Amino acid sequence: MVWQPDQPLTLRGPSSVVSARTSRPHVSSRSKRYNRSHAGGSSYIPQNEFPVFSHSGDVEILIGAGGRENRYLLHKHTLTRCSGFFEASTSQQWSKASVLQSESSRQLTRIGEEAAGNGGNEVARSGADSPGPRKRWRYELDPGSGGDDIPMLIQKEASTPGSASSASSTQPSSLFGGTSANTATARKTTAHSHTHSTSSFFRSVANLSLSPTKVDQAPPLTQADADLLRDYDNLFRIFYNYPPVLDGINIADAYVQCKSLLTLADQYDALAVVGPRVDHHLLQFQSRLWKQIAKYPVSYLRLGYLSRSKVIFQEALIHVVGQWPAGERSIRHSFPDIVLDIIEDKVDELEETVSRIESRLFRLSLTNSRGERVSPGSSYLDWLAVSFFRQWLADNTSPAPLPPPPPPPPSSSRGHSSRSAAVVASVPMAPNLASLGRTYRTLGTGTGAGYLGHDECKRFLKLTPELYSRDNLRRFEKRIDELKSAAREIVHPLMGSELELELERGAVAEGNVNAGVSSAPVAASGMTSYLTCVRVMERDLPWAMED
């Protein structure tokens, strides 16, 4: 038979306790811990995000300048994908990586060795199947020995995490939750020190408000050190697809920051990654950017070349070619040969077009009622109009004559040779494109009022008193206007513009006209005195040729 006790084995508490437990709904203990903080405690987990990837980072970079130091813990695969410098320095040939072993791997290895000594192979096999050791690289910024040296990252031996952890804790805790003797001693003293710590806490808070805190302030950074820290931070931010911290208001400051960042990216072979970010930032300035390029075309040509910006490089190249040979010396000293070849090719194309149009202008003439060209015998007044126009064209398409050489000494026996040398020296050089551009801009204006006006025609006819009369002056001005109209059609191919600056200004003027706003007519090419009709194709870009 089955024995049954007199009383049930389950011990029930008082009715008040039982009713309280049964009447209250179930409240999870997790909902009462939302105000609990783990900051500074043993359960605090470091963040695994830029700029310090505490768990997954394997490349430590220290950037120090002016007493400040920025620490980065990044990923090798990201750095090698974005920078040729890191790809080469972390290769097997140049790598100085240190082998790291995690705390869990060390615990499993030690337990596996102890178990193997006792004859157990279960734990030993689990330690053998754990992940292999990791590698860590370490870079420090070397400022150089001299003032002219460029700061450069130098690879050094990476420190193992065991030394850092040992400095913070004298004895590591067990992987499986075991406690050491120090932990047991600490538990015994906890109850004794609880009361004393409570009173000490309030006393320290009171003293904190009374006594000022002394904080060691670091010396202020110089502008060069601040720029260096900013450039390296922007470089690594771009590697991780974060926007760089650049000036978005003042375009002059933005240019200096972008130029410094591109120089640093060129130093570490990372222009292909940094360039698009710089291009995107500068293009946000729009019209202010086009005006700055027109003022400093050579500087922005280099910036566009480094950033591989098609728009900036094309805009600056058009200005450089139109003003050639202005800035030729600095361009030849600061640009690679591939950019010089592009500039010279575009200059040759423009000079060929100008030469072809110039020959057509000098062949320009008038005809009489029978369709014959005017001559001194058929129509002397009309022939004077053609001569007057050609003389103005020759004067404005040729450089100013050189000053006469000093007279030779009277005792010289080589008088004939010195006179011939003087004649050769007085031959003018070929005009540059900038001066030619001003002439053709004048010829291409819609009204033609900028040259050969009423007063000039009147003074010219007065040189021949027998021809000067009101009717002859009116006829002479009419024939000059016919020559101006024909010349305007001939130079029309040179009046085009590929500049974003002029295209934007022309679009604004056209919008005002469509909206009914009265504004002075502004030609699309009226903002520059040189020719801007150079067309830059995709195949003309230097990086397209390099690829």
Side-chain angles (χ1 to χ4, degrees):
M1 59 187 292
V2 181
W3 176 78
Q4 295 181 354
D6 298 337
Q7 293 180 354
L9 295 177
T10 306
L11 298 179
R12 298 176 60 88
S15 59
S16 61
V17 177
V18 175
S19 61
R21 289 179 180 175
T22 56
S23 61
R24 267 189 301 215
H26 173 71
V27 179
S28 174
S29 61
R30 185 176 303 175
S31 62
K32 297 184 179 181
R33 296 186 300 183
Y34 59 89
N35 286 330
R36 186 177 301 175
S37 174
H38 299 283
S42 60
S43 61
Y44 171 72
I45 301 177
Q47 297 296 323
N48 190 48
E49 59 185 11
F50 183 85
V52 178
F53 293 89
S54 305
H55 304 316
S56 59
D58 52 5
V59 179
E60 184 181 16
I61 303 175
L62 300 178
I63 308 297
R68 308 284 180 88
E69 186 177 79
N70 293 342
R71 179 177 178 266
Y72 301 87
L73 188 57
L74 308 176
H75 304 96
K76 171 181 174 291
H77 65 86
T78 301
L79 296 176
T80 55
R81 189 175 65 250
C82 298
S83 169
F85 168 82
F86 288 103
E87 182 180 6
S89 59
T90 56
S91 61
Q92 186 176 2
Q93 181 180 2
W94 305 101
S95 176
K96 295 182 180 180
S98 299
V99 178
L100 303 183
Q101 192 175 13
S102 61
E103 185 65 28
S104 59
S105 300
R106 288 195 295 271
Q107 293 286 351
L108 289 174
T109 303
R110 186 175 69 252
I111 294 173
E113 292 175 353
E114 293 174 357
N118 296 332
N121 295 326
E122 297 295 333
V123 182
R125 280 196 300 269
S126 63
D129 296 337
S130 62
R134 295 172 54 196
K135 293 183 179 180
R136 173 168 288 186
W137 291 262
R138 180 185 177 91
Y139 293 87
E140 294 183 6
L141 185 65
D142 184 10
S145 57
D148 297 334
D149 292 347
I150 299 176
M152 189 73 182
L153 288 176
I154 303 298
Q155 187 176 181
K156 296 188 176 182
E157 296 290 342
S159 59
T160 59
S163 60
S165 61
S166 62
S168 59
S169 60
T170 58
Q171 186 167 351
S173 59
S174 173
L175 175 65
F176 299 101
T179 58
S180 60
N182 295 336
T183 308
T185 306
R187 288 181 178 178
K188 293 180 181 180
T189 59
T190 302
H192 175 71
S193 62
H194 177 69
T195 306
H196 177 70
S197 62
T198 304
S199 60
S200 301
F201 171 75
F202 290 104
R203 191 181 304 113
S204 62
V205 171
N207 294 334
L208 184 63
S209 61
L210 297 177
S211 60
T213 304
K214 295 183 179 180
V215 181
D216 296 335
Q217 295 183 355
L221 285 175
T222 62
Q223 188 63 39
D225 293 335
D227 294 343
L228 184 65
L229 294 176
R230 183 202 64 230
D231 291 340
Y232 273 95
D233 187 67
N234 283 334
L235 181 68
F236 298 137
R237 287 174 66 89
I238 292 175
F239 286 175
Y240 281 85
N241 204 25
Y242 285 97
V245 181
L246 299 171
D247 197 315
I249 300 176
N250 191 335
I251 188 172
D253 294 340
Y255 165 78
V256 174
Q257 296 173 3
C258 291
K259 178 184 177 182
S260 179
L261 178 58
L262 288 173
T263 304
L264 184 66
D266 188 20
Q267 181 178 335
Y268 291 101
D269 193 14
L271 287 176
V273 179
V274 178
R277 282 287 189 175
V278 172
D279 181 33
H280 176 267
H281 179 77
L282 289 178
L283 289 180
Q284 297 176 358
F285 290 96
Q286 290 297 316
S287 60
R288 287 184 289 169
L289 175 62
W290 315 139
K291 295 177 182 178
Q292 285 292 109
I293 295 176
K295 292 174 64 177
Y296 312 103
V298 178
S299 300
Y300 277 91
L301 182 67
R302 178 169 179 78
L303 189 141
Y305 170 71
L306 292 178
S307 63
R308 295 195 169 193
S309 172
K310 176 185 176 182
V311 178
I312 296 178
F313 184 84
Q314 174 180 335
E315 189 85 0
L317 180 62
I318 294 174
H319 287 288
V320 169
V321 173
Q323 300 178 69
W324 192 260
E328 180 181 3
R329 179 176 300 179
S330 62
I331 290 175
R332 293 191 181 278
H333 283 83
S334 59
F335 283 89
D337 294 338
I338 186 172
V339 178
L340 291 175
D341 294 340
I342 295 174
I343 295 175
E344 291 175 351
D345 291 344
K346 294 302 175 181
V347 169
D348 293 340
E349 292 179 6
L350 184 57
E351 287 180 344
E352 182 181 356
T353 305
V354 168
S355 177
R356 186 169 58 251
I357 290 178
E358 183 179 356
S359 62
R360 293 181 58 190
L361 288 173
F362 275 102
R363 292 197 303 268
L364 189 62
S365 181
L366 296 174
T367 58
N368 55 21
S369 59
R370 296 186 298 272
E372 300 174 351
R373 288 186 177 182
V374 295
S375 63
S378 59
S379 178
Y380 184 72
L381 186 64
D382 296 344
W383 177 81
L384 283 179
V386 174
S387 301
F388 188 42
F389 175 82
R390 289 178 179 175
Q391 184 62 41
W392 178 91
L393 185 63
D395 292 340
N396 287 271
T397 55
S398 302
L402 298 175
S411 61
S412 174
S413 60
R414 296 175 297 174
H416 179 72
S417 60
S418 61
R419 285 195 299 271
S420 61
V423 173
V424 174
S426 63
V427 176
M429 300 174 59
N432 54 37
L433 288 176
S435 61
L436 289 176
R438 287 189 291 270
T439 300
Y440 291 116
R441 291 287 197 193
T442 304
L443 290 171
T445 54
T447 58
Y451 68 107
L452 300 183
H454 173 76
D455 294 338
E456 296 177 81
C457 294
K458 185 176 181 180
R459 284 195 300 268
F460 178 75
L461 277 184
K462 280 186 176 181
L463 296 177
T464 310
E466 61 272 13
L467 289 179
Y468 179 74
S469 64
R470 289 186 178 182
D471 293 338
N472 287 342
L473 178 60
R474 191 178 301 110
R475 179 182 174 185
F476 186 83
E477 291 179 347
K478 182 179 179 182
R479 301 298 270 176
I480 289 292
D481 290 339
E482 293 179 6
L483 290 171
K484 289 181 179 181
S485 178
R488 190 182 310 119
E489 296 296 328
I490 293 176
V491 301
H492 180 73
L494 297 177
M495 296 299 102
S497 178
E498 299 295 329
L499 289 177
E500 295 289 339
L501 172 65
E502 297 180 348
L503 293 177
E504 184 178 84
R505 180 71 177 272
V508 171
E510 183 180 357
N512 292 338
V513 172
N514 295 335
V517 179
S518 60
S519 59
V522 179
S525 59
M527 282 156 281
T528 56
S529 61
Y530 44 87
L531 300 177
T532 58
C533 58
V534 180
R535 184 179 296 272
V536 182
M537 308 299 293
E538 192 77 28
R539 62 177 181 271
D540 298 327
L541 301 178
W543 47 88
M545 299 179 182
E546 291 174 352
D547 298 339

